Structure formats: C-alpha cells, structure tokens
C-alpha cells in the first residue's frame, strides 16, 4: 500500500498524458517534471506556436513531445479527450482553459469518457504524524450531494484508494456530531450510507458514521468520546457533507497544516488532472502521478 506521495511519484507507470490547451507555463513545467522522472510522456494539444514559445522560455525542449495544433480551446479539449477515449493516451490534463469547458468534453456523449453518473474530486493528503494517506472527497465538484450522489462519490474514492493499494479503506461520513439527529441531514445520510455499504451498494470498503473529524482519524479521541466502533479513528476516506466543508478542509490542510497533497477528478473512464494556479509545483506533479497510477490500475 502506498503511504506517501513521494513513493507515488517513484512509480514508473509508462503512461501518456493528453494535455488540453497546453499553452500554459505552469502546466508545461509540471508535465516536463513528470517526463524527467520517467513517469509519463505527453501529447500537447493547443496553439502550437504558443506552446513552442512558452516551452523555449522555460528551457523545455518541444522535441520531447508530440504537439497537436488546435487554436480553438473547445476543440482542443475535445481532441485531448478523444485521444484518451481512443486509447492513444491514458489521462486528460487541463491546461489554460476553464474547468467547465474540459468537463463538457469529458461528458460529451459522442467523444467523451462518461461512466459513473457522478464525477467527483478526490484529494489525497500526506499528513505529518500519520501512517497513511487520507482521501478527502468532495472538495471541488459536487455542491450539496444527496445520499444517492454520496454513494457514487464514495465509490469513486474507493477506486482511488484501491489503485494505491488500500484494499479495504475505511470511509468516514463526517458530520458535526456522532449520533443521528433528524434535524441534521448529514447524520441521516451517514446512517443511510452505512446501511448501503452493508447491503453491498458501496463495495470494497467499510463505511462508518456519523463521526466528527477527530473521532474519524484519532483513536484516542474516539475512545474519549465513548465510541465503540472498532474502525473509529482509523478512517482513510473522509466524506464531507457539502462542498464548503471540503473546500475549507482542503485549504486548511494546504495552507495551515502544510500537508503534501494531490487531487484528481474521477468517475469518468479515465482520471482528469485539474490543477489550480494556486497549487504548488509539487502538488501539480503529485496530481499527475496520482492520475497516472489510477489509470494504470484500471479500477
């Protein structure tokens, strides 16, 4: 089981990225770093003169890459996605284009990669002092998922954990309290998800909850609270009730805890790397490595 993002970057996946609208300096730097590590090659789809000009300024040799010229950003996204659909590449990566544009291509019925009814974001965190990686979902995609959407979100996260060698991750449904409260929808959803897991609707994991964050990740906190579930404190997957919680959690981990991280969109036939300009170079590279590992695992 992979327990660190550095180990993840060390895996030789022999995979290929299809970068949509690749004329972006930060994206090219991350892609070139992945190439130098030997974990991926890339097809750069976008405005070829701009790609070459940016690459030369960054001392990146364009000869190391296949470049597909497409000046129109919508069409560049479609061509990058089609490369993956046609198995000429393994992972789609967002370049200098709005997220909505590339996701529209991913979900296109004709050339897209539609698979799960719900796409979701999974952020993987390496936190000092813990012996495992944490899988946070969903901090970037689904705004206020209902219980049915949360089933898909959990299934997506479980596949990511499996790809990294965690064969039976423990998934905690995070809430403000540890008991079901009819006035708090998140606790009702948590109870329903636990039952869905027992019924086989969310396979390959153990779902627990409702639990507050401390009781999900700390055995001592769970014991202090009198929680008897033996899995309390051992959570790998952290399911948040809404995007605001996930967003604050994500940014707290990055900017306050300084945790190493990676993130991808999953639920399609191939993972999608969607990095933010606020992400560090390390995070961008980690995200590429994570996506490549998921693709190689074919889960």
């Amino acid at each position: 089981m992979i327990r660190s993002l550095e180990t993840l970057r060390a895996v030789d996946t022999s995979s290929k990225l299809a970068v949509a609208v690749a004329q972006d300096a930060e994206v090219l730097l991350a892609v070139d770093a992945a190439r130098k590590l030997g974990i991926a090659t890339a097809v750069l789809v976008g405005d070829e003169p701009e790609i070459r000009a940016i690459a030369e300024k960054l001392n990146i040799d364009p000869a190391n890459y296949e470049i597909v010229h497409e000046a129109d950003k919508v069409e560049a996204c479609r061509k990058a996605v089609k490369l993956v659909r046609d198995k000429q590449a393994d992972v789609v990566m967002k370049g200098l284009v709005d997220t909505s544009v590339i996701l529209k291509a991913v979900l296109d019925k004709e050339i897209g990669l539609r698979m799960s009814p719900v796409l979701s974001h999974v952020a993987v965190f390496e936190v000092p002092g813990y012996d495992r990686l944490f899988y946070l979902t969903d901090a970037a995609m689904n705004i206020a998922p209902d219980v049915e959407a949360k089933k898909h979100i959990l299934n997506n996260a479980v596949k990511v954990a499996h790809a990294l060698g965690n064969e039976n991750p423990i998934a905690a449904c995070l809430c403000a309290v540890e008991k079901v409260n009819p006035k708090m929808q998140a606790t009702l959803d948590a109870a329903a998800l636990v039952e869905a897991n027992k019924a086989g609707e969310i396979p390959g994991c153990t779902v627990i909850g409702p639990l507050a964050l401390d009781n999900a990740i700390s055995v001592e906190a769970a014991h202090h609270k009198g929680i008897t579930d033996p899995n309390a404190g051992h959570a790998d997957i952290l399911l948040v009730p809404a995007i605001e919680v996930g967003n604050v959690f994500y940014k707290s981990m990055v900017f306050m805890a300084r945790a190493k991280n990676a993130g991808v969109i999953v639920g399609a036939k191939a993972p999608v790397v969607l990095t933010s300009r606020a992400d560090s170079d390390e995070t961008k590279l980690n995200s590429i490595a994570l996506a490549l590992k998921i693709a190689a695992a074919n889960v």
Side-chain angles (χ1 to χ4, degrees):
M1 184 169 72
I2 292 175
R3 299 178 183 273
S4 73
L5 294 175
E6 185 176 357
T7 301
L8 181 63
R9 293 203 308 268
V11 176
D12 182 4
T13 62
S14 300
S15 298
K16 182 178 288 187
L17 295 163
V19 186
V21 194
Q23 57 266 27
D24 181 273
E26 294 177 345
V27 168
L28 288 177
L29 284 170
V31 169
D32 203 52
R35 181 191 64 79
K36 290 176 179 177
L37 283 176
I39 63 174
T41 56
V43 179
L44 307 178
V45 185
D47 189 302
E48 183 170 0
E50 289 189 30
I51 292 172
R52 290 186 177 278
I54 294 170
E56 289 173 5
K57 288 181 181 179
L58 299 173
N59 294 317
I60 295 173
D61 187 355
N64 290 318
Y65 301 97
E66 177 185 351
I67 302 176
V68 176
H69 176 65
E70 179 53 71
D72 183 86
K73 292 186 176 182
V74 172
E75 286 303 313
C77 289
R78 290 175 61 83
K79 287 184 178 181
V81 168
K82 192 172 183 296
L83 285 169
V84 176
R85 193 208 58 181
D86 293 344
K87 301 188 183 302
Q88 297 179 46
D90 304 285
V91 170
V92 181
M93 183 172 185
K94 170 183 173 288
L96 190 63
V97 64
D98 290 343
T99 297
S100 61
V101 177
I102 191 167
L103 289 181
K104 184 177 180 179
V106 169
L107 295 173
D108 185 278
K109 292 181 180 180
E110 180 184 354
I111 57 93
L113 304 168
R114 183 183 292 270
M115 184 174 70
S116 170
V118 176
L119 297 186
S120 55
H121 185 268
V122 178
V124 181
F125 284 99
E126 179 183 340
V127 184
Y130 287 87
D131 64 350
R132 63 193 185 277
L133 296 173
F134 291 104
Y135 303 81
L136 172 67
T137 192
D138 180 342
M141 193 79 184
N142 294 280
I143 297 173
D146 60 17
V147 69
E148 290 302 315
K150 287 177 180 178
K151 290 178 185 178
H152 293 296
I153 291 169
L154 277 177
N155 279 321
N156 290 342
V158 168
K159 290 178 181 178
V160 176
H162 286 179
L164 271 61
N166 190 333
E167 297 180 355
N168 187 42
I170 297 169
C173 303
L174 298 184
C175 301
V177 295
E178 299 83 15
K179 295 182 179 179
V180 175
N181 184 334
K183 295 182 179 180
M184 303 177 75
Q185 186 61 45
T187 67
L188 297 172
D189 288 355
L193 292 168
V194 169
E195 292 306 312
N197 176 237
K198 292 178 180 177
E201 295 180 48
I202 311 171
C205 67
T206 300
V207 179
I208 57 176
L211 285 174
L213 175 63
D214 54 349
N215 305 312
I217 64 173
S218 167
V219 173
E220 292 77 11
H223 286 169
H224 182 74
K225 195 78 175 188
I227 297 171
T228 57
D229 189 327
N231 293 307
H234 297 284
D236 305 290
I237 297 171
L238 304 173
L239 174 71
V240 297
I243 198 170
E244 290 87 357
V245 178
N247 186 273
V248 172
F249 191 156
Y250 182 103
K251 291 178 180 176
S252 296
M253 294 299 292
V254 172
F255 291 100
M256 299 177 72
R258 303 294 182 185
K260 295 180 181 179
N261 69 298
V264 293
I265 298 291
V266 289
K269 294 179 182 178
V272 182
V273 181
L274 290 170
T275 56
S276 166
R277 287 188 178 273
D279 286 332
S280 68
D281 292 342
E282 181 181 37
T283 295
K284 291 183 175 69
L285 180 57
N286 288 340
S287 298
I288 290 173
L290 174 62
L292 294 171
K293 183 62 176 174
I294 296 168
N298 195 30
V299 294

